Amino acid sequence: MRLDINITGFELKYPKFVNQNQIMQKDSFPKFRALLKKSENIVIVTHFNPDGDAMGSSLALYNYLVKLEKNVCVITPNEYPEFLHWLPGHKKVIPYTKNQKKAASLIAKSDLIFTLDFNNYSRLEGLGDLLKDSQAKKILVDHHQQPDTYATLMYHDVKACSTCELVYELIVGLSGKKIIDKDIAACLYTGIMTDTGSFRYDSVTPETHLILSGLLSTGLKPSDIHAAVYDTYSESRVKLLGYCLSEKMVVMPEFQTAYISLSEKELQRFSHQKGDTEGIVNYPFAIKGIKFCAFFSEGDGKIKISFRSKGDFDVNQFARKHFNGGGHINAAGGRGNVYDLKKTIHEFLNLLPIYKKEILKK
Ligand code: 5GP
Ligand code: MN
């Protein structure tokens, strides 16, 4: 089995295993290897409304563990968007909302659970209770700020551009580069691409490009992945985007801020499908000077909010403090405190004068 390969030096190169007090642990790789070796029934879970990094990292790890001949499955809290329904292994994914009984039984039977691309159970909605009750050992792999402490082992780094980057390191650390085939590479490339705005954010490092180089050397074609993810819009999705930009975008130069909001009615008008609004939050950044963007959408009994910033303004803290959310310094999500779109926007607007200095700073 590939797990027996001894890769020397890896622990020192990537000392990202941390214990619950966030202290780096150099001896965790052998511990991780041993834990994996004795685990037979493995479950991988990722966050609610899974994105490219959530699905890419989960399915990369899934395809790898299948190669190690483990019983493994991926459970998502709800359905994931259509533009990811080509990722290798995606047909085996079990959305909890679609098959609660099967998900519950797989979790109950598992001896090891990977939690990928999130770091507190509230990000799992109903599925969180099943994890809380489970006796299985948990391994957290994530790059979001302020992780909770439910895991036996954490491979965590807020500097990583994506969870896929961390999963790449884990797989290579356990089994060497050769085990990464075109299927695993496609999953990892997708998550790195979608979490970095197609490799443009400052989270992208020389190491990220070395990883990408390794992925492309499996024969993967970048144009295929980009087309599969980004060139699959329906006509109504493109029209929804046009509507957002021409009719719904509000720009406030005094705060270098812009926001877009959509009511449930508006979403219905454009035959909204899951994932259709993803990425719209970023468009106002194309306007010179804009440093803070927000996107509000109404539906499923909540007001979902996305925040994005450029520079030092920390939207993770902003979302945590005011809108029941969190995420990264420059990209976070949250929810309205009441199920009322207008009131939520009003709350947001009232906060802008308080944060003006921070937004304009750099
Ligand atoms: P998005 O705006 O695309 O939904 O989320 C932006 C980032 O923030 C993603 O990395 C996502 O995982 C994270 N995020 C979104 N919503 C929440 C939330 O409610 N809590 C936390 N902790 N993170 C969130
Ligand atoms: Mn991510």
Side-chain angles (χ1 to χ4, degrees):
M1 183 157 34
R2 305 295 289 253
L3 270 177
D4 292 331
I5 292 179
N6 187 12
I7 296 144
T8 50
F10 192 83
E11 285 82 353
L12 288 175
K13 202 168 168 202
Y14 299 114
K16 289 174 185 171
F17 273 113
V18 289
N19 69 12
Q20 294 178 348
N21 299 314
Q22 298 285 290
I23 294 164
M24 296 294 186
Q25 292 189 315
K26 286 181 183 162
D27 63 342
S28 289
F29 233 93
K31 202 172 148 193
F32 177 41
R33 195 176 274 132
L35 190 58
L36 199 52
K37 219 170 169 179
K38 71 171 188 211
S39 305
E40 278 315 316
N41 297 309
I42 302 175
V43 169
I44 300 167
V45 294
T46 190
H47 59 78
F48 191 78
N49 284 342
D51 56 11
D53 191 30
M55 295 314 296
S57 58
S58 298
L59 285 168
L61 187 63
Y62 168 84
N63 286 308
Y64 164 67
L65 292 172
V66 166
K67 276 189 150 178
L68 296 185
E69 296 174 358
K70 301 286 180 188
N71 292 323
V72 53
C73 66
V74 175
I75 299 174
T76 54
N78 61 338
E79 304 255 20
Y80 55 100
E82 217 36 58
F83 67 82
L84 298 170
H85 280 223
W86 60 272
L87 287 169
H90 84 93
K91 283 190 181 149
K92 296 280 171 61
V93 172
I94 302 159
Y96 174 64
T97 39
K98 244 177 124 181
N99 205 337
Q100 300 200 0
K101 262 194 185 156
K102 191 167 180 195
S105 126
L106 285 162
I107 288 172
K109 264 192 242 152
S110 66
D111 38 25
L112 186 63
I113 300 178
F114 281 91
T115 72
L116 299 191
D117 201 39
F118 71 93
N119 58 35
N120 73 63
Y121 287 156
S122 71
R123 299 279 287 128
L124 295 176
E125 305 274 326
L127 187 56
D129 289 336
L130 294 184
L131 259 72
K132 260 183 226 156
D133 294 343
S134 146
Q135 297 301 309
K137 294 250 179 9
K138 318 279 186 329
I139 296 184
L140 174 155
V141 186
D142 180 50
H143 65 139
H144 292 88
Q145 303 277 333
Q146 297 166 274
D148 271 5
T149 53
Y150 56 79
T152 310
L153 274 177
M154 297 206 269
Y155 197 68
H156 184 262
D157 185 359
V158 292
K159 291 207 188 89
C161 74
S162 55
T163 300
C164 277
E165 188 168 285
L166 297 172
V167 167
Y168 173 90
E169 292 174 2
L170 280 180
I171 295 175
V172 173
L174 288 168
S175 300
K177 280 186 187 167
K178 278 195 188 136
I179 202 159
I180 298 205
D181 58 21
K182 208 171 161 187
D183 281 353
I184 296 175
C187 297
L188 294 174
Y189 190 95
T190 297
I192 296 175
M193 177 182 83
T194 53
D195 252 30
T196 59
S198 299
F199 320 115
R200 94 179 76 154
Y201 301 152
D202 289 337
S203 57
V204 174
T205 62
E207 284 69 38
T208 312
H209 280 283
L210 286 176
I211 291 171
L212 292 167
S213 157
L215 300 180
L216 292 179
S217 68
T218 62
L220 201 66
K221 271 186 154 172
S223 60
D224 286 347
I225 311 284
H226 281 258
V229 172
Y230 296 122
D231 301 341
T232 59
Y233 283 23
S234 63
E235 186 183 336
S236 59
R237 184 175 175 184
V238 177
K239 285 185 171 156
L240 173 67
L241 173 62
Y243 174 69
C244 284
L245 299 180
S246 69
E247 309 284 323
K248 301 293 311 211
M249 181 172 65
V250 180
V251 181
M252 291 168 291
E254 70 275 31
F255 299 114
Q256 297 189 280
T257 294
Y259 75 90
I260 294 168
S261 67
L262 288 172
S263 69
E264 200 160 14
K265 251 192 171 167
E266 288 170 312
L267 286 165
Q268 279 162 4
R269 213 175 103 198
F270 289 93
S271 324
H272 173 257
Q273 302 288 315
K274 187 162 266 316
D276 278 2
T277 55
E278 221 176 281
I280 293 181
V281 61
N282 292 301
Y283 279 86
F285 279 134
I287 302 167
K288 198 169 179 182
I290 293 300
K291 294 173 73 183
F292 182 27
C293 298
F295 178 82
F296 303 82
S297 65
E298 177 189 49
D300 293 336
K302 58 188 172 222
I303 308 296
K304 160 98 182 86
I305 319 172
S306 289
F307 297 110
R308 301 290 186 271
S309 67
K310 274 184 182 170
D312 290 343
F313 179 51
D314 186 343
V315 290
N316 164 54
Q317 291 302 347
F318 185 82
R320 254 171 215 273
K321 199 160 170 203
H322 304 290
F323 295 102
N324 321 299
H328 310 280
I329 291 170
N330 295 126
R335 259 174 218 197
N337 297 304
V338 283
Y339 186 45
D340 185 319
L341 188 59
K342 275 194 182 143
K343 272 192 189 155
T344 305
I345 295 172
H346 196 71
E347 271 182 49
F348 167 74
L349 293 176
N350 281 339
L351 289 166
L352 290 179
I354 301 167
Y355 285 92
K356 183 172 176 176
K357 253 193 182 160
E358 275 185 62
I359 301 167
L360 306 196
K361 207 164 93 195
K362 193 183 133 190

